[in-house]
CSV table of all heavy atoms in Angstrom, one decimal:
chain,number,residue,atom,x,y,z
A,93,ASN,N,194.5,-156.1,-209.9
A,93,ASN,CA,195.3,-156.7,-210.9
A,93,ASN,C,196.4,-155.9,-211.5
A,93,ASN,O,197.1,-156.2,-212.4
A,93,ASN,CB,194.4,-157.3,-212.0
A,93,ASN,CG,193.8,-156.3,-212.8
A,93,ASN,OD1,193.0,-155.5,-212.3
A,93,ASN,ND2,193.9,-156.3,-214.1
A,94,LEU,N,196.4,-154.6,-211.2
A,94,LEU,CA,197.4,-153.7,-211.7
A,94,LEU,C,198.6,-153.4,-210.8
A,94,LEU,O,198.5,-153.6,-209.5
A,94,LEU,CB,196.7,-152.3,-212.1
A,94,LEU,CG,195.5,-152.4,-213.0
A,94,LEU,CD1,194.9,-150.9,-213.1
A,94,LEU,CD2,195.9,-152.9,-214.3
A,95,TYR,N,199.7,-153.1,-211.3
A,95,TYR,CA,200.9,-152.7,-210.6
A,95,TYR,C,201.5,-151.3,-211.1
A,95,TYR,O,201.3,-151.2,-212.4
A,95,TYR,CB,202.0,-153.8,-210.5
A,95,TYR,CG,203.0,-153.4,-209.6
A,95,TYR,CD1,202.9,-153.3,-208.2
A,95,TYR,CD2,204.3,-153.0,-210.2
A,95,TYR,CE1,203.9,-152.9,-207.4
A,95,TYR,CE2,205.4,-152.6,-209.3
A,95,TYR,CZ,205.1,-152.5,-208.0
A,95,TYR,OH,206.1,-152.1,-207.2
A,96,CYS,N,202.0,-150.6,-210.3
A,96,CYS,CA,202.4,-149.2,-210.8
A,96,CYS,C,203.9,-149.4,-211.3
A,96,CYS,O,204.7,-150.2,-210.9
A,96,CYS,CB,202.4,-148.2,-209.8
A,96,CYS,SG,203.4,-148.6,-208.3
A,97,GLY,N,204.1,-148.4,-212.3
A,97,GLY,CA,205.5,-148.0,-212.6
A,97,GLY,C,205.9,-146.9,-211.9
A,97,GLY,O,205.0,-146.3,-211.1
A,98,SER,N,207.1,-146.4,-211.9
A,98,SER,CA,207.6,-145.3,-211.1
A,98,SER,C,206.8,-144.1,-211.5
A,98,SER,O,206.5,-143.2,-210.4
A,98,SER,CB,209.1,-145.1,-211.3
A,98,SER,OG,209.4,-145.2,-212.6
A,99,PRO,N,206.4,-143.8,-212.7
A,99,PRO,CA,205.7,-142.6,-212.9
A,99,PRO,C,204.3,-142.5,-212.1
A,99,PRO,O,203.9,-141.5,-211.7
A,99,PRO,CB,205.5,-142.5,-214.3
A,99,PRO,CG,206.5,-143.3,-215.0
A,99,PRO,CD,206.7,-144.4,-213.9
A,100,TRP,N,203.6,-143.6,-212.1
A,100,TRP,CA,202.4,-143.7,-211.4
A,100,TRP,C,202.5,-143.5,-209.9
A,100,TRP,O,201.8,-142.8,-209.3
A,100,TRP,CB,201.7,-144.9,-211.7
A,100,TRP,CG,200.2,-145.0,-211.2
A,100,TRP,CD1,199.9,-145.4,-210.0
A,100,TRP,CD2,199.0,-144.6,-211.8
A,100,TRP,NE1,198.5,-145.4,-209.9
A,100,TRP,CE2,198.0,-144.9,-211.0
A,100,TRP,CE3,198.9,-144.2,-213.2
A,100,TRP,CZ2,196.6,-144.6,-211.4
A,100,TRP,CZ3,197.6,-144.0,-213.7
A,100,TRP,CH2,196.5,-144.2,-212.7
A,101,LEU,N,203.6,-144.1,-209.3
A,101,LEU,CA,203.9,-143.9,-208.0
A,101,LEU,C,204.2,-142.4,-207.7
A,101,LEU,O,203.8,-141.8,-206.7
A,101,LEU,CB,205.0,-144.8,-207.5
A,101,LEU,CG,205.6,-144.7,-206.0
A,101,LEU,CD1,204.4,-145.0,-205.1
A,101,LEU,CD2,206.8,-145.6,-205.9
A,102,ALA,N,205.1,-141.9,-208.6
A,102,ALA,CA,205.5,-140.4,-208.4
A,102,ALA,C,204.3,-139.4,-208.5
A,102,ALA,O,204.3,-138.5,-207.7
A,102,ALA,CB,206.6,-140.1,-209.4
A,103,GLN,N,203.4,-139.6,-209.4
A,103,GLN,CA,202.3,-138.7,-209.5
A,103,GLN,C,201.5,-138.8,-208.3
A,103,GLN,O,200.8,-137.8,-207.9
A,103,GLN,CB,201.5,-139.0,-210.8
A,103,GLN,CG,200.8,-140.3,-211.0
A,103,GLN,CD,199.4,-140.4,-210.2
A,103,GLN,OE1,198.8,-139.3,-210.0
A,103,GLN,NE2,199.0,-141.6,-209.8
A,104,ALA,N,201.3,-140.0,-207.7
A,104,ALA,CA,200.5,-140.0,-206.4
A,104,ALA,C,201.2,-139.5,-205.2
A,104,ALA,O,200.5,-139.0,-204.3
A,104,ALA,CB,200.2,-141.6,-206.3
A,105,GLN,N,202.5,-139.4,-205.2
A,105,GLN,CA,203.3,-138.9,-204.1
A,105,GLN,C,203.5,-137.4,-204.1
A,105,GLN,O,203.7,-136.7,-203.1
A,105,GLN,CB,204.5,-139.6,-203.9
A,105,GLN,CG,204.5,-141.0,-203.4
A,105,GLN,CD,203.9,-141.1,-202.1
A,105,GLN,OE1,202.7,-141.7,-202.0
A,105,GLN,NE2,204.5,-140.6,-201.0
A,106,THR,N,203.6,-136.9,-205.4
A,106,THR,CA,203.8,-135.5,-205.6
A,106,THR,C,202.7,-134.6,-205.2
A,106,THR,O,201.6,-135.1,-205.4
A,106,THR,CB,204.5,-135.2,-206.9
A,106,THR,OG1,203.7,-135.9,-207.9
A,106,THR,CG2,205.9,-135.7,-207.0
A,107,ARG,N,202.9,-133.3,-205.1
A,107,ARG,CA,201.8,-132.4,-204.7
A,107,ARG,C,201.4,-131.5,-205.8
A,107,ARG,O,202.2,-131.5,-207.0
A,107,ARG,CB,202.2,-131.5,-203.6
A,107,ARG,CG,202.6,-132.5,-202.3
A,107,ARG,CD,203.5,-131.7,-201.3
A,107,ARG,NE,204.8,-131.3,-202.0
A,107,ARG,CZ,205.9,-130.6,-201.4
A,107,ARG,NH1,205.8,-130.3,-200.1
A,107,ARG,NH2,206.9,-130.3,-202.1
A,108,ALA,N,200.4,-130.6,-205.7
A,108,ALA,CA,199.9,-129.9,-206.9
A,108,ALA,C,201.1,-128.9,-207.3
A,108,ALA,O,201.2,-128.7,-208.5
A,108,ALA,CB,198.8,-129.0,-206.3
A,109,GLY,N,202.0,-128.5,-206.4
A,109,GLY,CA,203.0,-127.4,-206.9
A,109,GLY,C,204.3,-128.2,-207.4
A,109,GLY,O,205.1,-127.5,-208.0
A,110,ASP,N,204.3,-129.5,-207.4
A,110,ASP,CA,205.6,-130.2,-207.8
A,110,ASP,C,205.3,-130.6,-209.3
A,110,ASP,O,204.2,-130.7,-209.8
A,110,ASP,CB,205.8,-131.6,-207.0
A,110,ASP,CG,205.8,-131.3,-205.5
A,110,ASP,OD1,206.5,-130.3,-205.2
A,110,ASP,OD2,205.4,-132.2,-204.7
A,111,LYS,N,206.5,-130.6,-210.0
A,111,LYS,CA,206.4,-130.9,-211.5
A,111,LYS,C,207.0,-132.3,-211.7
A,111,LYS,O,208.0,-132.7,-211.2
A,111,LYS,CB,207.1,-129.8,-212.2
A,111,LYS,CG,206.6,-128.4,-211.9
A,111,LYS,CD,205.2,-128.2,-212.3
A,111,LYS,CE,204.7,-126.7,-212.1
A,111,LYS,NZ,203.3,-126.6,-212.5
A,112,LEU,N,206.5,-133.0,-212.8
A,112,LEU,CA,207.1,-134.1,-213.2
A,112,LEU,C,207.5,-134.0,-214.8
A,112,LEU,O,206.8,-133.4,-215.6
A,112,LEU,CB,206.0,-135.3,-213.1
A,112,LEU,CG,205.7,-135.9,-211.8
A,112,LEU,CD1,204.7,-134.9,-211.0
A,112,LEU,CD2,205.1,-137.3,-211.9
A,113,ARG,N,208.5,-134.6,-215.1
A,113,ARG,CA,209.2,-134.6,-216.4
A,113,ARG,C,209.5,-136.1,-216.7
A,113,ARG,O,210.3,-136.7,-216.1
A,113,ARG,CB,210.4,-133.7,-216.5
A,113,ARG,CG,210.1,-132.3,-216.2
A,113,ARG,CD,209.2,-131.6,-217.1
A,113,ARG,NE,208.9,-130.2,-217.0
A,113,ARG,CZ,207.9,-129.8,-216.4
A,113,ARG,NH1,207.0,-130.6,-215.9
A,113,ARG,NH2,207.8,-128.4,-216.2
A,114,LEU,N,208.7,-136.7,-217.6
A,114,LEU,CA,208.9,-138.2,-217.9
A,114,LEU,C,209.3,-138.3,-219.3
A,114,LEU,O,208.8,-137.8,-220.2
A,114,LEU,CB,207.5,-138.7,-217.8
A,114,LEU,CG,206.7,-138.5,-216.4
A,114,LEU,CD1,205.4,-139.1,-216.4
A,114,LEU,CD2,207.5,-138.9,-215.2
A,115,PHE,N,210.3,-139.3,-219.4
A,115,PHE,CA,210.8,-139.8,-220.7
A,115,PHE,C,210.6,-141.1,-221.0
A,115,PHE,O,210.7,-141.9,-220.0
A,115,PHE,CB,212.4,-139.5,-220.7
A,115,PHE,CG,212.7,-138.0,-220.6
A,115,PHE,CD1,213.1,-137.4,-219.4
A,115,PHE,CD2,212.8,-137.2,-221.8
A,115,PHE,CE1,213.5,-136.1,-219.4
A,115,PHE,CE2,213.1,-135.8,-221.7
A,115,PHE,CZ,213.5,-135.3,-220.5
A,116,GLU,N,210.2,-141.5,-222.2
A,116,GLU,CA,210.1,-142.8,-222.6
A,116,GLU,C,210.2,-142.9,-224.1
A,116,GLU,O,209.6,-142.2,-224.9
A,116,GLU,CB,208.7,-143.4,-222.2
A,116,GLU,CG,208.5,-144.9,-222.7
A,116,GLU,CD,209.6,-145.9,-222.3
A,116,GLU,OE1,210.1,-145.8,-221.2
A,116,GLU,OE2,210.1,-146.6,-223.2
A,117,LEU,N,211.2,-143.8,-224.5
A,117,LEU,CA,211.5,-143.8,-226.0
A,117,LEU,C,210.8,-144.8,-226.7
A,117,LEU,O,210.5,-144.7,-227.9
A,117,LEU,CB,213.0,-144.1,-226.2
A,117,LEU,CG,213.7,-143.9,-227.5
A,117,LEU,CD1,213.5,-142.5,-228.1
A,117,LEU,CD2,215.2,-144.3,-227.5
A,118,HIS,N,210.4,-145.9,-226.2
A,118,HIS,CA,209.7,-147.0,-226.9
A,118,HIS,C,208.3,-146.5,-227.2
A,118,HIS,O,207.5,-146.0,-226.4
A,118,HIS,CB,209.5,-148.2,-225.9
A,118,HIS,CG,209.2,-149.4,-226.7
A,118,HIS,ND1,208.0,-149.6,-227.3
A,118,HIS,CD2,209.9,-150.6,-226.9
A,118,HIS,CE1,207.8,-150.8,-227.8
A,118,HIS,NE2,209.1,-151.4,-227.6
A,119,PRO,N,207.9,-146.6,-228.6
A,119,PRO,CA,206.6,-146.0,-229.1
A,119,PRO,C,205.4,-146.5,-228.5
A,119,PRO,O,204.4,-145.8,-228.1
A,119,PRO,CB,206.7,-146.2,-230.5
A,119,PRO,CG,207.7,-147.4,-230.8
A,119,PRO,CD,208.7,-147.1,-229.7
A,120,ILE,N,205.4,-147.9,-228.2
A,120,ILE,CA,204.3,-148.5,-227.6
A,120,ILE,C,204.1,-148.1,-226.1
A,120,ILE,O,203.1,-147.6,-225.7
A,120,ILE,CB,204.2,-150.1,-227.6
A,120,ILE,CG1,204.3,-150.5,-229.1
A,120,ILE,CG2,203.1,-150.7,-226.9
A,120,ILE,CD1,204.5,-152.0,-229.3
A,121,ASP,N,205.2,-148.1,-225.4
A,121,ASP,CA,205.1,-147.7,-224.0
A,121,ASP,C,204.9,-146.3,-223.8
A,121,ASP,O,204.2,-145.8,-222.9
A,121,ASP,CB,206.3,-148.2,-223.3
A,121,ASP,CG,206.3,-149.6,-222.8
A,121,ASP,OD1,205.3,-150.2,-223.0
A,121,ASP,OD2,207.4,-150.3,-222.6
Side-chain angles (χ1 to χ4, degrees):
N93 63 305
L94 298 179
Y95 184 71
C96 62
S98 48
W100 189 271
L101 177 60
Q103 64 81 25
Q105 288 300 112
T106 48
R107 305 155 300 182
D110 303 322
K111 304 297 183 184
L112 286 82
R113 300 294 182 262
L114 310 176
F115 295 94
E116 176 52 47
L117 191 56
H118 197 290
I120 296 176
D121 282 346

